[in-house]
Amino acid sequence: MHRTDLIKRKIVIPPHALGADLSSYVATTVEQMERKLCTRQHGYILRIIGDVVLSVPVVSNANSEVCIQVAFRAETLLPKTNEPLTGRVWKTFPEGVFLEVEELLKVLVPASTIPGYRHDNVSPMCEAGPILPNSQITALISGVRYKC
C-alpha cells in the first residue's frame, strides 16, 4: 500500500515570489498543496521526501502567468482492491467498524465481513475478542471509490 512515487506538477508562481526565495516559496507551496492530496494515479500523498526539483520558469502566452514544473518524491498510500489495509478503530456501530488510516482515510469494514461481529452498548466483539477504540485492525479492501 505504501510506496514511493516520483510526482511531477505544474505550479503557477505569483509575481511577488519571483526572486531569490523562489525555491523556498515553491517548496512551501508544494508541501501545503500536495500533502494529503489524493489522486487516482498516486493515491494519498503522505509525505514529501527530499528536495523539490524546479524547472526553468516559463511565461504562459495565454494569460501571462509564470509557471514552473516541479518534481518530487513522495511517500504515498494507494488503496487497491483485495489488498490489506491497517488502521485505527475510529468508530463502531451495529453495521460495522470505521477505521482511520494515516489520519486521512476512513474505511468502512462491514459487520458481515467481521467473523462473529456483534455490537452492544458495552463493547463491540468479534471472534478474536473485543474491538477497542483506537486499536489497530487490518482489513481486506473489497472496493475503492475516489472522491478526488
Side-chain angles (χ1 to χ4, degrees), residues 1 6 24-25 33 39 45 54 64 100 136 145:
M1 293 288 212
L6 177 64
S24 175
Y25 173 85
M33 288 175 45
T39 65
I45 296 174
L54 313 177
S64 300
E100 183 179 52
Q136 295 287 312
R145 182 175 58 188

PDB file of all heavy atoms in Angstrom, residues 1 6 24-25 33 39 45 54 64 100 136 145:
ATOM      1  N   MET A   1       0.813  -1.196   0.000  1.00  0.00           N
ATOM      2  CA  MET A   1       0.000   0.000   0.000  1.00  0.00           C
ATOM      3  C   MET A   1       0.858   1.262   0.000  1.00  0.00           C
ATOM      4  O   MET A   1       0.647   2.133  -0.776  1.00  0.00           O
ATOM      5  CB  MET A   1      -0.906   0.022   1.217  1.00  0.00           C
ATOM      6  CG  MET A   1      -1.946  -1.035   1.186  1.00  0.00           C
ATOM      7  SD  MET A   1      -3.160  -0.639  -0.027  1.00  0.00           S
ATOM      8  CE  MET A   1      -4.553  -1.321   0.726  1.00  0.00           C
ATOM      9  N   LEU A   6       7.593   9.190  -7.872  1.00  0.00           N
ATOM     10  CA  LEU A   6       8.091  10.447  -8.406  1.00  0.00           C
ATOM     11  C   LEU A   6       6.886  11.179  -8.976  1.00  0.00           C
ATOM     12  O   LEU A   6       6.181  10.647  -9.839  1.00  0.00           O
ATOM     13  CB  LEU A   6       9.136  10.221  -9.493  1.00  0.00           C
ATOM     14  CG  LEU A   6       9.656  11.500 -10.167  1.00  0.00           C
ATOM     15  CD1 LEU A   6      10.385  12.383  -9.158  1.00  0.00           C
ATOM     16  CD2 LEU A   6      10.562  11.153 -11.337  1.00  0.00           C
ATOM     17  N   SER A  24      12.451  28.358  -2.097  1.00  0.00           N
ATOM     18  CA  SER A  24      11.812  28.217  -0.787  1.00  0.00           C
ATOM     19  C   SER A  24      10.297  28.356  -0.909  1.00  0.00           C
ATOM     20  O   SER A  24       9.541  27.588  -0.306  1.00  0.00           O
ATOM     21  CB  SER A  24      12.370  29.278   0.172  1.00  0.00           C
ATOM     22  OG  SER A  24      11.688  29.234   1.386  1.00  0.00           O
ATOM     23  N   TYR A  25       9.847  29.329  -1.715  1.00  0.00           N
ATOM     24  CA  TYR A  25       8.407  29.530  -1.935  1.00  0.00           C
ATOM     25  C   TYR A  25       7.791  28.277  -2.574  1.00  0.00           C
ATOM     26  O   TYR A  25       6.741  27.804  -2.141  1.00  0.00           O
ATOM     27  CB  TYR A  25       8.164  30.749  -2.829  1.00  0.00           C
ATOM     28  CG  TYR A  25       6.717  30.900  -3.211  1.00  0.00           C
ATOM     29  CD1 TYR A  25       5.821  31.549  -2.379  1.00  0.00           C
ATOM     30  CD2 TYR A  25       6.234  30.353  -4.402  1.00  0.00           C
ATOM     31  CE1 TYR A  25       4.476  31.658  -2.710  1.00  0.00           C
ATOM     32  CE2 TYR A  25       4.898  30.453  -4.742  1.00  0.00           C
ATOM     33  CZ  TYR A  25       4.029  31.107  -3.893  1.00  0.00           C
ATOM     34  OH  TYR A  25       2.697  31.201  -4.222  1.00  0.00           O
ATOM     35  N   MET A  33       0.161  22.305  -0.701  1.00  0.00           N
ATOM     36  CA  MET A  33      -0.835  21.913  -1.704  1.00  0.00           C
ATOM     37  C   MET A  33      -0.916  20.406  -1.902  1.00  0.00           C
ATOM     38  O   MET A  33      -1.993  19.865  -2.105  1.00  0.00           O
ATOM     39  CB  MET A  33      -0.519  22.573  -3.055  1.00  0.00           C
ATOM     40  CG  MET A  33      -0.798  24.046  -3.097  1.00  0.00           C
ATOM     41  SD  MET A  33      -0.284  24.829  -4.645  1.00  0.00           S
ATOM     42  CE  MET A  33      -0.859  23.707  -5.893  1.00  0.00           C
ATOM     43  N   THR A  39      -5.049  11.351  -5.524  1.00  0.00           N
ATOM     44  CA  THR A  39      -5.300  11.224  -6.960  1.00  0.00           C
ATOM     45  C   THR A  39      -5.448   9.740  -7.286  1.00  0.00           C
ATOM     46  O   THR A  39      -4.972   8.877  -6.542  1.00  0.00           O
ATOM     47  CB  THR A  39      -4.136  11.798  -7.795  1.00  0.00           C
ATOM     48  OG1 THR A  39      -2.962  11.007  -7.565  1.00  0.00           O
ATOM     49  CG2 THR A  39      -3.871  13.257  -7.464  1.00  0.00           C
ATOM     50  N   ILE A  45      -0.940  11.473  -0.945  1.00  0.00           N
ATOM     51  CA  ILE A  45       0.445  11.869  -0.724  1.00  0.00           C
ATOM     52  C   ILE A  45       0.597  12.090   0.768  1.00  0.00           C
ATOM     53  O   ILE A  45      -0.006  12.992   1.344  1.00  0.00           O
ATOM     54  CB  ILE A  45       0.787  13.138  -1.527  1.00  0.00           C
ATOM     55  CG1 ILE A  45       0.681  12.831  -3.021  1.00  0.00           C
ATOM     56  CG2 ILE A  45       2.183  13.641  -1.151  1.00  0.00           C
ATOM     57  CD1 ILE A  45       0.857  14.031  -3.920  1.00  0.00           C
ATOM     58  N   LEU A  54      13.081  22.035  -9.383  1.00  0.00           N
ATOM     59  CA  LEU A  54      12.381  23.049 -10.174  1.00  0.00           C
ATOM     60  C   LEU A  54      12.898  23.075 -11.606  1.00  0.00           C
ATOM     61  O   LEU A  54      14.088  22.906 -11.839  1.00  0.00           O
ATOM     62  CB  LEU A  54      12.598  24.444  -9.574  1.00  0.00           C
ATOM     63  CG  LEU A  54      12.423  24.622  -8.077  1.00  0.00           C
ATOM     64  CD1 LEU A  54      12.746  26.054  -7.704  1.00  0.00           C
ATOM     65  CD2 LEU A  54      11.030  24.271  -7.662  1.00  0.00           C
ATOM     66  N   SER A  64      -0.272  35.193 -19.379  1.00  0.00           N
ATOM     67  CA  SER A  64       0.938  35.808 -18.812  1.00  0.00           C
ATOM     68  C   SER A  64       1.283  35.322 -17.409  1.00  0.00           C
ATOM     69  O   SER A  64       1.955  36.027 -16.665  1.00  0.00           O
ATOM     70  CB  SER A  64       0.824  37.336 -18.816  1.00  0.00           C
ATOM     71  OG  SER A  64       0.667  37.809 -20.125  1.00  0.00           O
ATOM     72  N   GLU A 100      -9.628   4.449  10.677  1.00  0.00           N
ATOM     73  CA  GLU A 100      -8.954   5.651  10.175  1.00  0.00           C
ATOM     74  C   GLU A 100      -7.522   5.257   9.830  1.00  0.00           C
ATOM     75  O   GLU A 100      -6.806   4.697  10.656  1.00  0.00           O
ATOM     76  CB  GLU A 100      -8.961   6.749  11.228  1.00  0.00           C
ATOM     77  CG  GLU A 100      -8.333   8.034  10.728  1.00  0.00           C
ATOM     78  CD  GLU A 100      -8.353   9.129  11.769  1.00  0.00           C
ATOM     79  OE1 GLU A 100      -7.902   8.869  12.907  1.00  0.00           O
ATOM     80  OE2 GLU A 100      -8.815  10.223  11.448  1.00  0.00           O
ATOM     81  N   GLN A 136      -5.574  -1.185  16.588  1.00  0.00           N
ATOM     82  CA  GLN A 136      -5.213  -1.367  15.184  1.00  0.00           C
ATOM     83  C   GLN A 136      -5.865  -2.635  14.646  1.00  0.00           C
ATOM     84  O   GLN A 136      -5.801  -3.685  15.280  1.00  0.00           O
ATOM     85  CB  GLN A 136      -3.695  -1.473  15.033  1.00  0.00           C
ATOM     86  CG  GLN A 136      -2.943  -0.214  15.397  1.00  0.00           C
ATOM     87  CD  GLN A 136      -3.113   0.876  14.368  1.00  0.00           C
ATOM     88  OE1 GLN A 136      -2.979   0.654  13.178  1.00  0.00           O
ATOM     89  NE2 GLN A 136      -3.439   2.073  14.837  1.00  0.00           N
ATOM     90  N   ARG A 145     -13.352   3.669  -3.963  1.00  0.00           N
ATOM     91  CA  ARG A 145     -14.111   4.720  -4.654  1.00  0.00           C
ATOM     92  C   ARG A 145     -13.412   6.044  -4.358  1.00  0.00           C
ATOM     93  O   ARG A 145     -13.151   6.376  -3.204  1.00  0.00           O
ATOM     94  CB  ARG A 145     -15.546   4.750  -4.142  1.00  0.00           C
ATOM     95  CG  ARG A 145     -16.405   5.772  -4.827  1.00  0.00           C
ATOM     96  CD  ARG A 145     -17.829   5.693  -4.389  1.00  0.00           C
ATOM     97  NE  ARG A 145     -17.907   5.868  -2.935  1.00  0.00           N
ATOM     98  CZ  ARG A 145     -18.988   5.705  -2.234  1.00  0.00           C
ATOM     99  NH1 ARG A 145     -20.095   5.325  -2.806  1.00  0.00           N
ATOM    100  NH2 ARG A 145     -18.985   5.889  -0.930  1.00  0.00           N
TER     101      ARG A 145
END
